[in-house]
Amino acid sequence: MVAEDDEKQAELVRRYLEHEGHSVTVVGDGLAALAEVRHREPDLLVLDVMMPRADGLDVVRVLRAEHRELPVLMLTARSTEDDLLLGLDLGADDYMTKPYSPRELMARVRTLLRRNRRAVAADPVEDQVLRVGALAVDPVRHEVSVEGRLVECTRGEFRILVAMAAEPERVFSRQRLLEELHGFDRYISFRTVDVHIMNLRKKIERAPRRPARLLTVFGVGYKLTDPERNASRTATPGAPPTRATSSRASSPRASS
C-alpha cells in the first residue's frame, strides 16, 4: 500500500512497484490509510508523513497500538534528527527523505519484504528468556523488562536486543547490527543503528547519557553488559562493594 497525498509522487511509486510485480493500493490521507490497512492487511506500507486528516506519524502510532506488524517505510520532506528519532521510535522500519531515488526506494522495499518473509517463515525462537543482569528479553512473547518493569520496544529495537542479549559482552559492529535489522543491503545507513541504540538507552538505562548496560566500544561498535557484574569485578578483593553510584547500591544484587 502507498499512502501519499501528492498524486504525482503516488503514481510514480505505484508504477515502480507494479513494475516489480507488486499489487498496489494507493490512498491519499491518513484516515484512509488506516481503514485500508485494516481491510486489506497489506504486506508493506509506504507512508508519507505530511498528509491530510491524519499524518503519517499518527498512522504508525495507531497501527502499532493495534499490534499490526506490517513493515512501514516512511517518506518525508523533513530531515531533522528529531523527526528521524520520532518516526523510528513510533515503530517505522525505515525512513527516506525527499527527494529520493525511486530505485533506492525499491531496493529498500525489497529488503523489508525479504526480512518480513524470513521472520514469518522462521521456526519459533526457543522458549527461553534471555537475561543480562536485570534486563530480560523474551523472544517468544516479544517482551522486554528491566528490573521487573516492562519496556515497550519497536521491532527494530527488539531485534537488536535479542541479538545482543544472546551474546552478552560481545562487541557488535554497526554492520553486524544492521544485518540483524535489514539483512545484507548496501542502501541502509549505519545511522539507523545509532538511532535505535539511542532510543534503547532511553528505555533500559537509568541514566541514558551515562549508559551502564548498552555500551559504546569506540571505533568498534556496541555491547550489552551486566553493570552489577562489572561492578563486582572491579571491587577490591575482600572489600565491601563500592557505593560510588547510589543507583547500583540500591539494587538487590549490588552486594552479591
Side-chain angles (χ1 to χ4, degrees):
M1 181 189 300
V2 176
E4 166 68 77
D5 65 323
D6 184 317
E7 293 183 2
K8 291 183 179 179
Q9 287 285 330
E11 178 64 13
L12 177 66
V13 175
R14 182 188 66 79
R15 288 183 178 180
Y16 269 87
L17 287 169
E18 289 183 342
H19 179 72
E20 297 218 348
H22 302 295
S23 175
V24 184
T25 299
V26 176
V27 296
D29 65 75
L31 292 184
L34 287 171
E36 287 298 310
V37 166
R38 292 163 180 157
H39 175 65
R40 297 180 181 275
E41 298 186 354
D43 296 307
L44 181 141
L45 174 61
V46 178
L47 178 66
D48 186 34
V49 171
M50 300 298 291
M51 288 190 300
R53 301 181 72 195
D55 68 22
L57 296 175
D58 286 332
V59 171
V60 174
R61 186 181 290 109
V62 171
L63 292 177
R64 297 315 187 214
E66 294 178 351
H67 304 291
R68 298 182 185 274
E69 296 297 324
L70 80 160
V72 177
L73 195 163
M74 300 194 78
L75 304 176
T76 181
R78 301 172 178 175
S79 59
T80 66
E81 182 176 277
D82 287 344
D83 292 322
L84 175 61
L85 286 169
L86 181 56
L88 294 175
D89 195 39
L90 289 173
D93 296 272
D94 204 355
Y95 201 102
M96 292 187 68
T97 55
K98 299 178 180 180
Y100 54 84
S101 160
R103 293 180 62 188
E104 180 178 347
L105 175 63
M106 294 304 106
R108 296 196 183 199
V109 165
R110 288 194 297 270
T111 296
L112 288 173
L113 287 174
R114 282 198 304 268
R115 191 190 74 188
N116 197 53
R117 286 165 183 159
R118 284 198 303 268
V120 170
D123 293 331
V125 181
E126 183 181 353
D127 190 8
Q128 180 179 355
V129 177
L130 304 171
R131 300 184 186 277
V132 184
L135 174 70
V137 183
D138 189 332
V140 174
R141 296 176 179 81
H142 204 283
E143 291 180 349
V144 176
S145 64
V146 180
E147 299 173 349
R149 171 180 56 87
L150 285 177
V151 175
E152 292 290 334
C153 291
T154 66
R155 292 194 306 169
E157 294 164 3
F158 188 79
R159 290 173 71 90
I160 287 176
L161 277 183
V162 168
M164 299 185 79
E167 298 183 76
E169 301 294 339
R170 171 184 171 180
V171 180
F172 286 78
S173 67
R174 290 194 296 173
Q175 178 63 49
R176 182 70 185 86
L177 292 175
L178 201 60
E179 292 163 12
E180 292 293 333
L181 287 169
H182 296 288
F184 295 90
D185 194 283
R186 65 185 179 88
Y187 292 98
I188 309 300
S189 168
F190 284 149
R191 182 62 182 145
T192 301
V193 172
D194 296 335
V195 169
H196 283 309
I197 293 293
M198 284 190 291
N199 283 336
L200 278 170
R201 283 174 172 164
K202 293 177 183 178
K203 298 175 181 182
I204 69 173
E205 298 282 3
R206 292 182 178 181
R209 293 182 180 274
R210 292 182 289 108
R213 290 189 173 90
L214 190 47
L215 306 180
T216 299
V217 180
F218 292 100
V220 185
Y222 302 101
K223 71 175 181 178
L224 189 65
T225 188
D226 176 4
E228 307 298 340
R229 184 178 181 184
N230 289 342
S232 65
R233 285 176 177 174
T234 57
T236 303
T242 179
R243 294 186 179 273
T245 305
S246 59
S247 60
R248 291 182 183 176
S250 63
S251 169
R253 297 190 58 189
S255 59
S256 62

